[in-house]
Amino acid sequence: MDQKPPLPKTATRKNSPCIRVWCMPEEKKLIDQNAKNVGLSTSTYLRNIGIGIEVKGILDQKAVGDMAKVNADLGRLGGLLKMWLSNDERLAMFNQEQVKASILEALGKIKTAQDELLKTVKRL
């Protein structure tokens, strides 16, 4: 009767050695909170830091989403301004003061959106 050799176990984190870290209760709370802030488990957070992987938080992802929204707003406002400036028929319907007021309002909104985008970039 031939006996087959046992198949080698594939290494997984669950069957690999565990590292224990001794810390004070306050330190554990802080580590747990930092892990939660970046959307990781405490184990994954500590492992990533320990092997030199940059911890990227969910706040970074949120900031990128915020910047994309502001960028879309700027595109829409730019399109609106372009439409106002290139459509002579539409401009003829309004007096010069109404056109000027509308353009200044659009420029103000663009400036506000740019400021919002700059704030978001500085947060990163």
Side-chain angles (χ1 to χ4, degrees):
M1 190 161 132
D2 289 330
Q3 206 172 8
K4 293 182 182 179
L7 295 174
K9 271 190 163 181
T10 303
T12 65
R13 288 194 175 102
K14 295 283 184 193
N15 65 14
S16 295
C18 175
I19 298 173
R20 297 180 78 176
V21 178
W22 301 105
C23 58
M24 300 298 290
E26 303 82 30
E27 294 169 329
K28 182 176 180 343
K29 283 182 187 175
L30 184 59
I31 292 168
D32 289 341
Q33 186 61 49
N34 288 340
K36 183 178 178 184
N37 288 344
V38 295
L40 298 174
S41 68
T42 302
S43 176
T44 302
Y45 176 77
L46 289 174
R47 184 179 55 252
N48 287 354
I49 289 174
I51 61 176
I53 295 176
E54 182 182 350
V55 177
K56 293 185 180 181
I58 52 178
L59 293 178
D60 293 344
Q61 295 169 356
K62 184 182 180 314
V64 169
D66 290 346
M67 288 189 294
K69 287 178 187 174
V70 171
N71 187 50
D73 290 343
L74 286 173
R76 283 189 291 276
L77 289 169
L80 176 65
L81 184 59
K82 181 179 177 182
M83 181 190 72
W84 271 102
L85 295 176
S86 64
N87 191 339
D88 291 335
E89 293 171 8
R90 185 168 178 119
L91 287 176
M93 294 173 34
F94 301 98
N95 69 37
Q96 291 262 337
E97 289 303 312
Q98 287 175 319
V99 171
K100 183 178 177 181
S102 294
I103 290 172
L104 289 176
E105 181 182 349
L107 288 173
K109 288 180 179 181
I110 289 171
K111 175 69 173 131
T112 300
Q114 287 175 327
D115 292 343
E116 193 176 321
L117 185 59
L118 183 59
K119 274 191 243 177
T120 304
V121 170
K122 285 183 178 181
R123 270 193 337 216
L124 296 177

